[in-house]
Amino acid sequence: MISRRRLLAGSAAGLVGGLAAGAGGQALASNGLPAYQRRRRHTQGYRPVITPNGRTLPYRMNNGVKEFHLIAEEIQHQFGPGTTITAWGYNGGAPGPTIEAVEGDRVRIFVTNRLQEHTTIHWHGLILPSGMDGVGGVSQPHIPPGKTYVYEFDLKQHGTHMYHPHADEMVQLSMGMMGLFIIHPKDPVDPPVDRDYALLLHNWAVHPGTWRPDPNVMVEFDLWTMNSKVFPFIEPLLAQTGERVRIRIGNLSMWNHPIHLHGVQFDVTGGDGGRLPRDKWRSEVTEIVGVGQMRDIEFDAVPGDWAFHCHMSHHTMNPMGHDLANPLGVDQRGIEDRVRGLLPGYMAMGEHGMAEHQEHVDAGHMKGPVNTLPMAMGEGPYGKIEMGGMFTLVKVRDQLDADSASSWYQAPEGTTARETPEPSGLPT
């Protein structure tokens, strides 16, 4: 058994850090540079991934073996200011820290169970000995509470992979136990990637006024997340004009997600099976990432603020009243006063659409249940963004600086949609 203190000790050269929060809240890369800057290559030749709102798990070298330590434990997790839950995760977070290594490496991963029930870890998509596969009762005994097990194997492939339990799986995944496992190729790739992002998609059933996810919900989830955050609290993906950007997307939710990126036609270049030969790439603008799948997309960055989101519309919303009647087109005169007798502060909305929802919530007119986020959030340079959930932005600038993550793209004059008189004489 190995202590956390011993595992994290060692020479600076033997540690590979991930993202950490700086004193002012600015995300810092392992080299001390702001995360918006392109990350320096590792001594093994790869460009380390950036896990928005997350970090990479450090390791130490021990006689040629990379040693990692994962701790399964109960955590407090915040989707965004206003909703905090008791979840289960790894090393203090959900998802757990991203593991990065290189094809051909031998890894030794210590897993300590600090939960109150047993667990295991399955290395999703990895080629390894049967006894390291992490299926409780099939390939190994369960890891009892308070115990540490060790997994050790050679990495025989490259690609984008995941880790998660194969023990009480419905509960443990729904509570947040998952993470990304990135294996970089041992040989350089062409074209090389300048920025490498990694996202894990998940859904949560957090009923209004509650503080724990409900593992019994199969369909009607109310929080759709990227790296366990909802918009606008998902960090934007930053790049400079002309850079080659890769976004790795894994799905451990209970639903498939058609992921859509504005502004470019991207190449689908790989996933669980590694980077595909170039003649196998597909040009797309939307790619379905199925449950349990990984997809890598790559593109050359063009300037702008580009939406990046699931194209299932209700997945870009936060908690919604699915059981309420649709009031669209309904004359609601007189209803509001009658309902207020039962629900003080009630406001009748939706007769002409729900665009007013965010405006009323932001103005404080309507307060939702405790520990529940509003359906739509975010303020852009031209007004309310009216999004939540599985939505973020790819922000591309000709020259990135410390304000790029929080500033808005300044479109060249004449390139923004604008008001104009209604035309006459055009066919309709």
Side-chain angles (χ1 to χ4, degrees), residues 182-206:
I182 309 300
I183 307 175
H184 298 278
K186 60 184 176 182
D187 298 321
V189 298
D190 182 43
V193 171
D194 297 306
R195 295 180 194 270
D196 200 349
Y197 289 98
L199 297 170
L200 192 50
L201 311 180
H202 192 36
N203 47 220
W204 307 74
V206 182

Side-chain angles (χ1 to χ4, degrees), residues 231 304-305 378-385 393 395 397 406-411 416:
F231 180 79
D305 290 329
E379 184 86 25
Y382 304 108
K384 308 296 183 186
I385 298 177
L393 295 168
K395 288 176 164 284
R397 302 290 185 267
S406 57
S407 63
W408 294 98
Y409 178 67
Q410 300 297 311
T416 302

Side-chain angles (χ1 to χ4, degrees), residues 324-341:
L324 298 177
N326 177 11
L328 193 64
V330 176
D331 185 346
Q332 299 186 62
R333 286 176 296 182
I335 293 178
E336 189 172 72
D337 290 338
R338 294 170 63 185
V339 174
R340 281 179 176 171

Side-chain angles (χ1 to χ4, degrees), residues 71-130:
I71 300 171
E73 57 190 347
E74 186 174 275
I75 63 170
Q76 296 297 302
H77 176 72
Q78 186 182 78
F79 297 102
T83 296
T84 299
I85 62 166
T86 297
W88 296 355
Y90 297 99
N91 298 46
T98 298
I99 296 174
E100 282 189 86
V102 176
E103 181 182 12
D105 284 347
R106 186 168 184 85
V107 297
R108 183 178 298 132
I109 306 172
F110 297 87
V111 179
T112 299
N113 182 11
R114 292 184 182 166
L115 300 173
Q116 297 301 306
E117 73 165 2
H118 64 235
T119 190
T120 67
I121 291 193
H122 167 59
W123 314 102
H124 188 104
L126 269 64
I127 300 170
L128 36 61
S130 174

Side-chain angles (χ1 to χ4, degrees), residues 101 138 176 192 246 267:
V138 173
R246 173 166 51 205
D267 296 315

Side-chain angles (χ1 to χ4, degrees), residues 372-393:
T372 303
L373 290 168
M375 181 176 70
M377 295 184 288
E379 184 86 25
Y382 304 108
K384 308 296 183 186
I385 298 177
E386 300 173 347
M387 290 288 178
M390 208 173 274
F391 179 99
T392 190
L393 295 168

Side-chain angles (χ1 to χ4, degrees), residues 2-311:
I2 187 168
S3 72
R4 191 175 190 178
R5 181 184 297 256
R6 283 179 54 210
L7 182 71
L8 296 179
S11 68
L15 293 176
V16 175
L19 296 179
Q26 171 67 52
L28 299 180
S30 57
N31 53 21
L33 296 173
Y36 65 78
Q37 295 209 24
R38 192 169 62 183
R39 305 188 76 181
R40 294 175 180 169
R41 290 197 178 277
H42 187 271
T43 54
Q44 287 183 274
Y46 65 86
R47 186 87 66 187
V49 299
I50 298 172
T51 306
N53 300 103
R55 65 186 181 97
T56 293
L57 184 63
Y59 66 82
R60 72 173 180 189
M61 294 301 299
N62 185 358
N63 294 323
V65 179
K66 288 182 177 178
E67 291 187 332
F68 300 86
H69 191 191
L70 285 172
I71 300 171
E73 57 190 347
E74 186 174 275
I75 63 170
Q76 296 297 302
H77 176 72
Q78 186 182 78
F79 297 102
T83 296
T84 299
I85 62 166
T86 297
W88 296 355
Y90 297 99
N91 298 46
T98 298
I99 296 174
E100 282 189 86
V102 176
E103 181 182 12
D105 284 347
R106 186 168 184 85
V107 297
R108 183 178 298 132
I109 306 172
F110 297 87
V111 179
T112 299
N113 182 11
R114 292 184 182 166
L115 300 173
Q116 297 301 306
E117 73 165 2
H118 64 235
T119 190
T120 67
I121 291 193
H122 167 59
W123 314 102
H124 188 104
L126 269 64
I127 300 170
L128 36 61
S130 174
M132 295 292 166
D133 194 42
V135 181
V138 173
S139 57
Q140 68 164 88
H142 295 94
I143 307 173
K147 300 297 183 180
T148 297
Y149 277 37
V150 63
Y151 299 81
E152 185 168 344
F153 44 87
D154 295 321
L155 301 180
K156 300 180 178 181
Q157 68 210 95
H158 68 272
T160 304
H161 308 282
M162 302 180 282
Y163 62 86
H164 63 81
H166 248 300
D168 194 12
E169 187 170 340
M170 182 187 77
V171 171
Q172 294 190 10
L173 263 70
S174 71
M175 292 291 289
M177 296 182 69
M178 59 189 67
L180 291 158
F181 197 132
I182 309 300
I183 307 175
H184 298 278
K186 60 184 176 182
D187 298 321
V189 298
D190 182 43
V193 171
D194 297 306
R195 295 180 194 270
D196 200 349
Y197 289 98
L199 297 170
L200 192 50
L201 311 180
H202 192 36
N203 47 220
W204 307 74
V206 182
H207 303 307
T210 66
W211 283 262
R212 288 182 187 270
D214 182 353
N216 294 320
V217 173
M218 296 294 132
V219 178
E220 294 294 345
F221 299 95
D222 56 7
L223 289 169
W224 304 91
T225 60
M226 293 178 174
N227 290 347
S228 299
K229 296 290 186 181
V230 299
F231 180 79
F233 309 110
I234 302 168
E235 292 178 354
L237 282 57
L238 306 179
Q240 289 191 165
T241 302
E243 287 185 328
R244 185 74 177 175
V245 179
R246 173 166 51 205
I247 306 176
R248 306 171 185 260
I249 310 160
N251 182 6
L252 280 178
S253 76
M254 300 278 282
W255 209 264
N256 299 327
H257 299 290
I259 299 299
H260 177 54
L261 174 60
H262 297 209
V264 296
Q265 287 182 317
F266 55 73
D267 296 315
V268 181
T269 60
D272 316 60
R275 206 184 203 207
L276 296 168
R278 196 159 186 170
D279 61 357
K280 304 295 185 185
W281 293 4
R282 292 183 287 109
S283 180
E284 304 285 357
V285 297
T286 303
E287 176 70 5
I288 293 180
V289 186
V291 177
Q293 288 185 326
M294 310 291 302
R295 289 291 181 267
D296 295 349
I297 66 173
E298 297 181 26
F299 57 94
D300 296 327
V302 296
D305 290 329
W306 304 109
F308 178 66
H309 60 95
C310 177
H311 218 289

